[in-house]
Amino acid sequence: MADNGIAAATCPIPISKYPQVMLAHGGGGKLMHQLIEGMFVSSFENPMLSRRHDGAVFDVDRGRMAFTTDSYVVNPIFFPGGDIGSLAVNGTVNDLAVCGARPLCLSTGFIIEEGFGMEDLWRVVSSMKRAADAAGVVLATGDTKVVDRGKGDGIFINTAGVGVIPDGIDIGPHRIGEGDAVILSGDLGRHGIAIMAAREGLEFETTLESDCAPLADAIFAMFDRGVRVNCMRDLTRGGLASALVELSEASGHAIRISESAINVEEDVRGACEILGFDPMYLANEGRFIAFVNAEDADLALDVLSGFEAGNGASLIGRVGKNPDARVVLESSIGADRIVDMFSGEQLPRIC
Amino acid sequence: MADNGIAAATCPIPISKYPQVMLAHGGGGKLMHQLIEGMFVSSFENPMLSRRHDGAVFDVDRGRMAFTTDSYVVNPIFFPGGDIGSLAVNGTVNDLAVCGARPLCLSTGFIIEEGFGMEDLWRVVSSMKRAADAAGVVLATGDTKVVDRGKGDGIFINTAGVGVIPDGIDIGPHRIGEGDAVILSGDLGRHGIAIMAAREGLEFETTLESDCAPLADAIFAMFDRGVRVNCMRDLTRGGLASALVELSEASGHAIRISESAINVEEDVRGACEILGFDPMYLANEGRFIAFVNAEDADLALDVLSGFEAGNGASLIGRVGKNPDARVVLESSIGADRIVDMFSGEQLPRIC
């Protein structure tokens, strides 16, 4: 496995003594406290954590807050462009951001299988810390459970997040209206194909990396520059297609998109052709769609172009009449087709 | 397994068609949406969930909030006095309450093993709903992942919780002071022994039930009646001993407790004698310790006696001088012993 720059020598738990996580590391006794204090609290250090309380305590101003959760069970846990730790931070930060919320703090719940490598745990924790710093969020409270060998799969991580929605921001399916421009923030499907390639040992001409990235800065730049954003959704499991269908149903509006406006990298397109996948359904971990007032579409694209996470953003469609709630894709050869959610299972444990 | 009053007939997912959870139930497509809409959203219905957003959005007044998380991996998932669903709600509600916070909303993250019984899932979800209603908290946002067979163990549940701390309430280890009375809210160890009995098939003369219960009402009644509460901690993994040692270390104060003042039911005491357990280290899921001003101890006991969750509360000790940070137990035969956290693993997957 790639080292990601984290040497075993920096691990605060003595690896020669405890090369693997043991059941006692989740038992509530001395070893658990050594793990929590030595690895988690010291890595994630911040005033909320350092109170050693059963929960984080923080002040808020009158206003609106957002609250979200995701569990991460991705397999493999290390992949080109990220790992389960960066995914667990970015995924939840992004769920807050697409609610229009500035991420404030995250909780982390680890479920670790007995025998999981202590050095791998340290790499994951270090990656969470880097991702949290990059996203400007603190890891404020946490929990660690260890399950017996064969009853888990290395490590699962749950993160929940709390964020603050600034005054004047109101984002949600109820705000989608006829004529809204649909902006896609970048190319599709790299996360899905990168995970599959890592799992199956596929090789590409270039290294295909996950798109895993925090989105809050790009999203808040749109607000700051005056883009009237009505709704957003980050594209994870189920991909662009599922997000569009969900929002079409939730808003009662038709959505019409153009296949040729959707950016897909050559390697991703090639992998899809060989493997029979459709990029519309591939998972992403650093992409979102935004529904903005039609006259703000160019401004939105201009703002996004200033961010790595918005590189490759494009206007992919328009919102149609209410109550014709369906998603129509105009294919590159000019034919229309109805987009539906997929049935069955495309690629399990992608996030 | 006991039915707990939930008939398969009431399950909103057709069990004859989907008797078991499949990977596709976590895949982001149609089956996942049927599961989420049909079972989770319809059961947990509330205005936050019904917005169908990536997170819950709610208004807050200026003030202080608490935020906490726990993952639940208890084995077995159904046990006398509760199940993983009621545990996942009460455990997180209690973590908020001992921070002095009125529980506001919870998130739920399910990690389900492929093949888990749909009827069992429905029983767990129904139990969460009942527990949430009893605790006055809404299940506001959630996430569902399915892992392949053999890579999990039935169901793991993470809940994170957000609560509001009323003005004037300041609870934490920093407030513990010399002379504080240490109140234990009830008898010790029933959760630990009930789980072990269910796991190992042990039988007692009476049915020994877990103490799993929500604590917020009893705690807030103390505030309302004017008990000056300085710090609290709920007693889970590691039991009373670990909580006392943690708080002694965090506050820098000695704590002296009396063994004869600690209530332990006869069956629990008998099981401990046979199995070599110490009730001080057994897990509880509906018990807490409170450090209150010395002159308020009787009032605190009077308040707690009015609640089922405070039945059997007792004054178990006093806080001693700073900085003599250790916990001393005066045994029933009059000898003193130093209490430490346990080493190793007493009973894995107790919560």
Side-chain angles (χ1 to χ4, degrees):
Chain A
M1 286 177 188
D3 185 85
N4 280 352
I6 308 299
T10 66
C11 180
I13 304 289
I15 290 188
S16 57
K17 192 169 173 193
Y18 301 111
Q20 298 184 327
V21 175
M22 303 186 297
L23 279 172
H25 281 114
K30 283 185 182 172
L31 276 183
M32 186 172 104
H33 284 264
Q34 282 172 15
L35 177 66
I36 290 174
E37 294 290 323
M39 191 182 289
F40 304 149
V41 175
S42 66
S43 294
F44 300 155
E45 194 175 4
N46 64 71
M48 292 194 214
L49 257 189
S50 63
R51 283 192 49 167
R52 306 285 191 281
H53 212 353
D54 270 333
V57 172
F58 53 92
D59 294 315
V60 291
D61 285 328
R62 174 189 289 274
R64 273 182 317 139
M65 302 196 76
F67 178 39
T68 188
T69 191
D70 262 320
S71 300
Y72 299 86
V73 299
V74 66
N75 170 28
I77 61 170
F78 299 105
F79 50 83
D83 57 61
I84 193 171
S86 56
L87 195 62
V89 170
N90 288 333
T92 297
V93 161
N94 291 348
D95 278 340
L96 291 172
V98 295
C99 292
R102 267 274 178 218
L104 188 65
C105 54
L106 301 185
S107 64
T108 62
F110 296 105
I111 299 177
I112 307 173
E113 184 189 7
E114 180 188 10
F116 185 64
M118 191 63 79
E119 189 178 343
D120 282 347
L121 180 60
W122 174 235
R123 286 177 58 196
V124 169
V125 165
S126 302
S127 171
M128 293 185 81
K129 167 65 175 165
R130 279 195 305 272
D133 287 348
V137 72
V138 296
L139 300 165
T141 188
D143 175 59
T144 304
K145 294 291 191 301
V146 181
V147 297
D148 19 335
R149 208 179 286 263
K151 301 297 183 183
D153 194 16
I155 186 167
F156 303 143
I157 303 178
N158 176 283
T159 48
V162 170
V164 177
I165 302 174
D167 279 349
I169 302 290
D170 181 19
I171 301 288
H174 62 288
R175 301 255 345 268
I176 292 175
E178 191 179 340
D180 278 2
V182 183
I183 306 277
L184 170 63
S185 69
D187 66 305
L188 279 191
R190 273 195 284 124
H191 179 73
I193 297 296
I195 293 290
M196 204 189 47
R199 202 184 293 173
E200 308 295 343
L202 303 183
E203 290 195 5
F204 297 97
E205 290 193 13
T206 55
T207 302
L208 192 67
E209 292 202 335
S210 165
D211 46 62
C212 180
L215 300 172
D217 285 347
I219 286 170
F220 273 77
M222 289 198 295
F223 298 156
D224 292 343
R225 294 273 300 276
V227 177
R228 286 163 292 181
V229 181
N230 298 314
C231 188
M232 292 180 285
R233 182 71 45 116
D234 64 330
L235 310 178
T236 58
R237 281 177 291 178
L240 174 63
S242 296
L244 289 170
V245 172
E246 277 179 43
L247 291 176
S248 170
E249 287 178 358
S251 69
H253 280 279
I255 301 171
R256 185 175 183 86
I257 57 170
S258 165
E259 189 172 26
S260 60
I262 297 169
N263 290 321
V264 180
E265 277 202 7
E266 210 44 59
D267 278 344
V268 172
R269 196 176 295 282
C272 282
E273 278 168 13
I274 293 166
L275 300 164
F277 287 151
D278 181 342
M280 292 278 291
Y281 294 94
L282 286 179
N284 314 270
E285 286 294 338
R287 296 290 175 260
F288 66 97
I289 46 172
F291 293 72
V292 307
N293 282 15
E295 53 271 38
D296 295 352
D298 288 342
L299 178 58
L301 291 172
D302 183 54
V303 173
L304 291 175
S305 70
F307 292 85
E308 199 180 325
N311 192 3
S314 58
L315 172 66
I316 63 166
R318 298 274 173 193
V319 174
K321 282 197 197 315
N322 180 359
D324 188 14
R326 60 180 189 178
V327 179
V328 177
L329 177 79
E330 185 184 316
S331 76
S332 36
I333 56 167
D336 281 357
R337 72 173 169 95
I338 306 278
V339 176
D340 200 357
M341 288 186 194
F342 65 91
S343 301
E345 171 57 62
Q346 196 183 43
L347 202 58
R349 298 184 58 189
I350 197 74
C351 59
Chain B
M1 285 177 188
D3 187 85
N4 281 353
I6 309 299
T10 65
C11 180
I13 304 290
I15 289 189
S16 58
K17 191 169 173 195
Y18 300 111
Q20 297 184 327
V21 175
M22 303 187 297
L23 278 172
H25 282 114
K30 284 184 182 174
L31 276 184
M32 186 173 104
H33 284 266
Q34 283 171 16
L35 177 66
I36 290 175
E37 295 290 324
M39 190 181 290
F40 303 148
V41 175
S42 65
S43 295
F44 301 154
E45 195 174 3
N46 62 71
M48 292 194 215
L49 257 188
S50 64
R51 283 192 50 168
R52 306 284 191 282
H53 212 353
D54 271 332
V57 172
F58 53 92
D59 294 315
V60 291
D61 285 328
R62 174 189 291 274
R64 273 180 317 140
M65 303 195 76
F67 178 38
T68 188
T69 192
D70 262 319
S71 300
Y72 299 87
V73 299
V74 66
N75 170 28
I77 61 170
F78 300 106
F79 49 83
D83 57 60
I84 193 171
S86 56
L87 194 63
V89 170
N90 289 332
T92 296
V93 161
N94 291 347
D95 278 340
L96 292 172
V98 295
C99 292
R102 266 275 177 218
L104 187 66
C105 54
L106 300 186
S107 64
T108 63
F110 295 105
I111 299 177
I112 306 172
E113 185 189 5
E114 180 188 11
F116 184 65
M118 191 63 81
E119 190 180 342
D120 281 346
L121 180 60
W122 174 235
R123 287 177 58 198
V124 169
V125 166
S126 302
S127 171
M128 293 184 82
K129 168 66 174 163
R130 280 195 304 274
D133 287 348
V137 72
V138 296
L139 299 165
T141 187
D143 175 60
T144 304
K145 295 291 190 302
V146 181
V147 297
D148 20 336
R149 208 180 287 263
K151 301 297 185 184
D153 192 17
I155 187 167
F156 302 142
I157 303 177
N158 176 283
T159 49
V162 171
V164 176
I165 301 173
D167 279 349
I169 302 289
D170 181 18
I171 301 287
H174 62 288
R175 302 253 347 267
I176 291 175
E178 192 179 340
D180 278 3
V182 183
I183 306 277
L184 171 63
S185 69
D187 65 303
L188 279 191
R190 273 195 285 124
H191 179 73
I193 297 295
I195 293 290
M196 203 190 46
R199 201 184 293 172
E200 308 295 341
L202 303 184
E203 291 194 5
F204 298 98
E205 290 193 13
T206 54
T207 303
L208 192 68
E209 291 202 335
S210 166
D211 46 63
C212 180
L215 300 172
D217 285 347
I219 286 170
F220 273 78
M222 288 197 295
F223 299 157
D224 292 344
R225 294 271 300 277
V227 177
R228 287 161 292 181
V229 180
N230 298 314
C231 187
M232 291 180 286
R233 182 72 43 115
D234 64 330
L235 309 178
T236 58
R237 279 179 291 178
L240 174 62
S242 295
L244 289 170
V245 172
E246 277 178 45
L247 291 177
S248 170
E249 287 178 358
S251 69
H253 279 280
I255 301 172
R256 186 176 183 85
I257 57 170
S258 165
E259 190 173 26
S260 60
I262 298 169
N263 289 321
V264 180
E265 277 202 6
E266 209 45 59
D267 277 345
V268 172
R269 195 176 295 282
C272 282
E273 278 170 14
I274 292 165
L275 300 164
F277 287 152
D278 181 340
M280 292 279 292
Y281 295 94
L282 287 178
N284 314 271
E285 286 294 337
R287 295 291 175 261
F288 65 97
I289 45 172
F291 292 73
V292 307
N293 282 17
E295 53 270 40
D296 294 353
D298 288 342
L299 178 59
L301 291 172
D302 183 55
V303 174
L304 291 175
S305 69
F307 291 85
E308 200 180 322
N311 192 1
S314 58
L315 170 66
I316 63 165
R318 299 276 172 190
V319 174
K321 283 198 196 315
N322 181 359
D324 188 14
R326 60 181 188 177
V327 178
V328 176
L329 177 79
E330 185 183 317
S331 76
S332 36
I333 55 166
D336 280 359
R337 72 174 168 94
I338 305 279
V339 176
D340 200 357
M341 289 185 190
F342 66 89
S343 301
E345 170 57 65
Q346 194 182 45
L347 203 58
R349 297 183 60 188
I350 197 74
C351 59

